[in-house]
Amino acid sequence: MQQPAIVAHRGASTDRPEHTIGAYELALKEGADGLECDIRLTRDGEIVCVHDRTLLRTSNGRGTVSALTLEELRKFDYGSWHGYREPAELLLLDQLLELVKGTDVQLFVETKHPVRYRNEVERKLAEALKRHGLASQIVMMSFSATAVKVFREQVPDVRTVLLLDRLGRLRSGALPSFADYTGPGVHLLRNDPGYVDRARRAGHETYVWTVDTAEDVALCRDLGVRYLATNAPANTRRLLTANLAT
């Protein structure tokens, strides 16, 4: 059975502050097959890589990302909060697109919802991908089915993931026509390991978040998961290699 592709969740975010250029450079150095990021819009319409709607957890600033301009956001330190304890600058999506350009690494881009500007973030993402010419390397993701649908209508040749924190009526493995891959949390597979096979029979491979423990890595490998999002790509690679040898 094919090994899962390793996707660095917010970069190598165990060892470096999430969503910083250093986290993504380390993930590439460690041999990640893909990178994952979350994007939001600033008040002046720029795309930045920040997970939370506010700055409190991952910077020394305060406020809501969507209520601040890019210039205001750039004043803060996005690195010293982490155990690595080195300052880091705000990361723009354009910088991350430039990092993967010319490589064979896939970039998984999650648009966050609900947000102040609704589906403007999907429109801006579509524009950025066209500008950089990177449609073949990008996978768009969201927990919002509406966001995935809106994006697919704008960029039909970019693959999409519908992220899931519960299965509900999608338990059969079927997805809406605008979603290529299913994106369950690993907690869902622990409770319902047969879901991966049902989704595959329905024509959808699986992207699983967030997989760091040896038990979860082994579960994803044994179920034939296609993409495995992890905070520690080097360690997850070691676990996969060790599991393969046993």
Side-chain angles (χ1 to χ4, degrees):
M1 184 177 292
Q2 184 179 8
Q3 291 278 72
I6 294 176
V7 179
H9 183 247
R10 308 178 198 172
S13 54
T14 293
D15 296 320
R16 298 291 187 274
E18 66 182 61
H19 287 125
T20 60
I21 196 67
Y24 290 106
E25 288 174 343
L26 179 60
L28 293 179
K29 183 178 179 180
E30 292 179 345
D33 303 300
L35 307 175
E36 184 269 354
C37 71
D38 306 283
I39 61 170
R40 293 181 177 275
L41 290 183
T42 66
R43 193 177 79 193
D44 48 348
E46 299 295 333
I47 308 176
V48 294
C49 299
V50 180
H51 179 273
D52 301 356
R53 64 182 292 274
T54 69
L55 298 169
L56 189 60
R57 181 177 64 87
T58 57
S59 82
N60 63 348
R62 290 180 176 272
T64 303
V65 175
S66 62
L68 297 170
T69 66
L70 179 59
E71 182 179 0
E72 290 169 328
L73 289 165
R74 277 180 157 160
K75 295 176 181 178
F76 305 126
D77 166 27
Y78 295 84
S80 298
W81 65 272
H82 189 271
Y84 190 58
R85 296 198 178 281
E86 286 193 6
E89 296 179 350
L90 176 71
L91 182 65
L92 277 66
L93 178 65
D94 279 335
Q95 293 173 273
L96 202 47
L97 294 175
E98 287 295 333
L99 185 66
V100 302
K101 193 175 290 186
T103 74
D104 58 359
V105 171
Q106 296 182 85
L107 179 60
F108 293 75
V109 182
E110 179 184 345
T111 63
K112 306 302 291 184
H113 288 276
V115 289
R116 182 189 306 257
Y117 304 118
R118 299 191 178 182
N119 294 116
E120 180 70 3
V121 65
E122 282 77 36
R123 187 184 71 79
K124 290 277 191 176
L125 173 59
E127 289 178 354
L129 299 186
K130 292 173 183 176
R131 187 169 65 249
H132 286 268
L134 284 176
S136 63
Q137 280 181 254
I138 305 302
V139 183
M140 178 271 180
M141 311 189 296
S142 186
F143 285 96
S144 165
T146 298
V148 178
K149 183 176 186 293
V150 166
F151 181 81
R152 169 52 58 83
E153 290 169 350
Q154 296 179 69
V155 194
D157 54 339
V158 172
R159 293 159 296 162
T160 59
V161 179
L162 180 58
L163 296 169
L164 305 172
D165 58 8
R166 60 185 180 86
L167 296 180
R169 59 188 178 85
L170 299 177
R171 190 172 299 278
S172 68
L175 294 176
S177 60
F178 48 80
D180 297 304
Y181 304 127
T182 185
V186 70
H187 64 287
L188 299 179
L189 301 191
R190 295 188 205 118
N191 295 328
D192 186 359
Y195 174 74
V196 175
D197 190 54
R198 296 198 302 274
R200 187 179 295 113
R201 290 200 303 268
H204 305 291
E205 296 290 349
T206 305
Y207 170 101
V208 181
W209 53 275
T210 303
V211 184
D212 289 332
T213 68
E215 293 79 10
D216 286 343
V217 170
L219 175 66
C220 290
R221 179 210 60 183
D222 293 345
L223 294 178
V225 164
R226 174 76 178 277
Y227 298 106
L228 183 161
T230 177
N231 295 312
N235 187 58
T236 297
R237 179 79 70 191
R238 285 193 291 270
L239 290 172
L240 280 173
T241 302
N243 286 335
L244 187 63
T246 57

